[in-house]
């Protein structure tokens, strides 16, 4: 095993996932497989290769600093389960 | 045991762009909640962020001013955390490959100059604002600030005292304002500071366990917070305890710091390159263009003021701390070419009106032209230096011209010899005892006579004339 039960619990916590014991078993095995694939990739010699995060040699385009219209109030808040004026209303987030 | 503090500061500065970092929403402050939002800054699925060119150029300005290296290739990364002020559940920032690093700024405390290293300056987006209901268990989310471009300036842990921390922050703010890329307003949060502070036995190499301090929204609070935290850690260690690595909030009402004890304490940001944003390339030509366009910075201006105007280093430091104050000084000197007199007046009378806050000049009602006119009136003897101070107070509260106030209140200085001689003779006639004591050798009474003449003229007599004529008149009375 490349991964422990505790690590699965920790990753689930970080991802805000509530997993059942069965799901934890299932994901433990799946994550373990993924890590094994990574080990296989690590066998490829890459000492002479520059690290890259994407397959294309492109750079991010930039936009001019120009203001464009924002959403109207009702659209900005269309998905809000609760609102107060034009603010989103959420359960209190500090003690 | 003697300890020394090790302080590193993280400064966030909001950039003065019109639109946000990754979308075209306005950055304007004070709109109704969520009126400056769109699918990109609300974190809707399927949107693509596109970075603001001006935010990049502003960042490069500050990086060059701080002697940083500009990396030709850098990356945006996702910093993951859950909090309702961040609708995407990640903040776009830079991690492994920041746009600039390895710089320094020079600070001065008690006439000692020292370089503080800058680890890195990188770009990121601001989070939204939460308003917590005081009576009900709800919070209100306003995403207007979400996505406003920020730069984070990270110092090396080379700051040793709260005073140095204050000096460092003042230098950074001053530079940002000179560069025109941030308004530097600490109270409104466009210039913010977090501090990492630890202590270690003096002379030791290894670093102690650090605490992260937050919520210090003025220069004074930063110094107070650091002072308190250093003393707290010293007490903990002296009592045989250990310092815990944690985030602590400064409480301005008590001047203390307290542990946040939040569940969010266990931060694991899981940074990774943002797949929505390709690597950023900064072309060397762009860097050179920005370097050539850099304005005169505070340190250069200070040096020039000392050399060009012959004013003391301390005065030059105060005058150049805020760009507007420096411009005010220069404009006044253009109209009244006596730099020392202008500097003295600004350093004492004007700074008193601004309550010692250089940035207050922005709301000062007296224009450089008006100040120059007042100084001319002192220079040509129309008004005494003493009376001019009260005239200036009036100018500061009303914005009116000096000549208008002087005329209306009848404050013109009395320099006319015959008029003064008449007043002086009357004073001497009214005080025969003092006159005979003076004649008998009690020369200290001169001050008394001057005082009486000033009183009789409501302070408007020309003091040097009064001294001159008094000496003559007393001389004649001394004769047997």
């Amino acid at each position: 095993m490349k991964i422990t039960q505790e690590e699965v619990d920790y990753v689930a916590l970080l991802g805000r996932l509530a997993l059942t014991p069965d799901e934890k078993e299932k994901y433990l095995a799946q994550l373990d497989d993924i890590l094994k694939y990574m080990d296989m990739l690590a066998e490829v010699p890459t000492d002479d290769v520059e690290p890259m995060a994407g397959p294309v040699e492109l750079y991010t385009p930039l936009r001019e600093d120009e203001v464009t219209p924002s959403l109207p109030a009702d659209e900005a808040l269309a998905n809000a389960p609760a609102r107060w004026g034009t603010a989103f209303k959420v359960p209190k987030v500090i003690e | 045991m003697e300890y020394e503090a090790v302080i590193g500061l993280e400064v966030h500065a909001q950039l003065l762009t019109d639109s946000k970092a990754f979308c075209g929403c306005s950055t304007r402050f004070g709109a109704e909640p969520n009126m400056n939002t769109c699918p990109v800054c609300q974190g809707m699925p399927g949107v693509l962020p596109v970075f603001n060119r001006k935010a990049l150029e502003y960042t490069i300005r500050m990086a060059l001013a701080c002697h940083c290296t500009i990396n030709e290739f850098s990356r945006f990364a996702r910093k993951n955390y859950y909090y309702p002020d961040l609708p995407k559940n990640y903040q776009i920032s830079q991690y492994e490959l920041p746009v600039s690093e390895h710089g320094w700024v020079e600070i001065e405390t008690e006439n000692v100059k020292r370089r503080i290293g800058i680890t890195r300056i990188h770009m990121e987006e601001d989070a939204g604002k939460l308003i917590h209901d005081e009576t009900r268990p709800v919070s209100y989310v306003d995403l207007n600030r979400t996505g406003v471009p920020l730069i984070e300036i990270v110092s090396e842990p080379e700051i040793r005292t709260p005073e140095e921390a204050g000096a460092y922050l003042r230098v950074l703010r001053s530079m940002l304002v000179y560069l025109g890329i941030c308004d530097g307003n600490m109270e409104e949060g466009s210039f913010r500071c977090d501090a990492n502070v630890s202590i270690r036995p003096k002379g030791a190499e290894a670093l102690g366990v650090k605490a992260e301090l937050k919520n210090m929204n003025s220069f004074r609070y930063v110094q107070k917070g650091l002072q308190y935290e250093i003393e707290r850690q010293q007490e903990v260690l002296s009592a045989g305890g250990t310092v815990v690595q944690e985030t602590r909030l400064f409480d301005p009402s008590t001047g203390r710091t307290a542990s946040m004890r939040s569940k969010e304490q266990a931060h694991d940001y899981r940074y990774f390159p943002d797949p929505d944003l390709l690597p950023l390339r900064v072309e060397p030509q762009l860097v050179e263009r920005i370097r050539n366009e850099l304005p005169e910075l505070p340190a250069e201006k200070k040096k020039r003021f000392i050399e060009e105007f012959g004013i003391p280093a301390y005065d030059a430091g105060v005058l150049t701390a805020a760009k507007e104050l420096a411009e005010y000084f220069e404009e006044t000197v253009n109209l009244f070419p006596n730099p020392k007199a202008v500097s003295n007046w600004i350093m004492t009378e004007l700074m008193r009106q601004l309550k010692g806050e250089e940035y207050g000049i922005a709301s000062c009602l007296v224009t450089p032209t008006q100040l120059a006119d007042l100084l001319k009136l002192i220079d040509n003897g129309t008004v005494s230096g003493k009376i001019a101070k009260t005239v200036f107070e009036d100018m500061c509260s009303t914005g009116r011209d000096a000549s208008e106030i002087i005329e209306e209140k009848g404050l013109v200085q009395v320099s006319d010899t015959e008029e003064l001689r008449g007043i002086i003779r009357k004073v001497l006639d009214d005080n025969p005892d003092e006159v005979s004591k003076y004649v008998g050798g009690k020369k200290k009474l001169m001050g008394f006579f001057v005082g009486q003449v000033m009183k009789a003229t409501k302070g408007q007599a020309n003091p040097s004339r009064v001294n001159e004529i008094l000496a003559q008149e007393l001389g004649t009375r001394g004769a047997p």
Side-chain angles (χ1 to χ4, degrees), chain A residues 10-11 13-16 52-54 56-77 79 83-95, chain B residues 17-21 23-25 33-39 42 44 50-54 56 73 75 82-84 130 132-133 137-141 143 264 268 270 277-281:
Chain A
Y10 181 63
V11 173
L13 172 77
L14 289 177
R16 299 300 190 268
M52 63 177 192
V56 283
E57 283 256 332
L58 283 177
Y59 299 103
T60 197
L62 298 171
R63 38 171 276 275
E64 296 308 313
D65 181 30
E66 281 159 12
V67 175
T68 52
S70 295
L71 290 174
D74 283 332
E75 280 183 46
L77 290 142
N79 294 330
R83 57 189 273 190
W84 184 71
T86 60
F88 297 97
K89 190 164 120 183
V90 299
K92 195 160 198 165
V93 284
I94 53 165
E95 299 93 85
Chain B
T17 54
D18 292 331
S19 67
K20 291 187 179 180
C23 64
C25 287
N34 299 304
M35 289 301 89
N36 298 339
T37 65
C38 73
Q42 283 211 4
M44 296 291 175
V50 186
F51 194 55
N52 186 331
R53 182 188 302 279
K54 189 170 267 176
L56 173 64
F73 302 100
R75 278 215 71 101
Y82 287 83
Y83 205 58
L130 296 175
H132 305 292
D133 198 304
V138 291
S139 299
Y140 306 108
V141 185
L143 301 179
E264 291 292 330
D268 183 344
R270 292 155 293 147
L277 288 151
L278 289 162
L280 174 70
R281 172 154 192 250

Side-chain angles (χ1 to χ4, degrees), chain B residues 377-389:
Chain B
L377 292 172
I378 302 172
D379 204 40
N380 69 21
T382 305
V383 70
S384 72
K386 190 158 178 274
I387 295 281
K389 291 178 185 179

Side-chain angles (χ1 to χ4, degrees), chain B residues 359-415:
Chain B
Y359 285 84
I361 192 69
S363 52
C364 177
L365 293 179
V366 181
T367 64
T369 312
Q370 287 175 311
L371 175 56
D373 286 346
L374 174 65
L375 295 176
K376 284 177 198 162
L377 292 172
I378 302 172
D379 204 40
N380 69 21
T382 305
V383 70
S384 72
K386 190 158 178 274
I387 295 281
K389 291 178 185 179
T390 62
V391 172
F392 187 67
E393 279 172 30
D394 195 334
M395 292 166 73
C396 285
S397 53
T398 62
R400 292 197 302 163
D401 286 348
S403 53
E404 197 183 320
I405 296 166
I406 291 166
E407 196 172 322
E408 185 187 294
K409 299 198 171 170
L411 298 173
V412 177
Q413 178 164 260
V414 183
S415 300

Side-chain angles (χ1 to χ4, degrees), chain B residues 58-122:
Chain B
Y58 281 2
T59 308
I60 295 172
R61 273 194 212 174
M62 185 60 176
L64 290 175
C66 295
H67 315 94
C68 287
T69 321
I70 310 294
N71 291 326
E72 185 172 350
F73 302 100
S74 69
R75 278 215 71 101
F76 288 106
R78 292 187 178 182
K79 177 180 180 177
N80 299 276
Y81 68 94
Y82 287 83
Y83 205 58
D85 64 2
L86 195 70
K88 297 194 295 291
N89 291 332
Y90 62 83
Q91 177 193 30
I92 304 177
S93 180
Q94 294 195 296
Y95 187 58
E96 283 166 324
L97 285 172
V99 70
S100 66
E101 42 195 341
H102 314 308
W104 54 267
V105 294
E106 189 172 77
I107 63 163
E108 190 173 333
T109 44
E110 287 163 18
N111 295 321
V112 180
K113 285 183 182 163
R114 213 156 82 72
R115 275 188 189 183
I116 304 295
I118 305 277
T119 314
R120 55 193 276 150
I121 298 179
H122 70 248

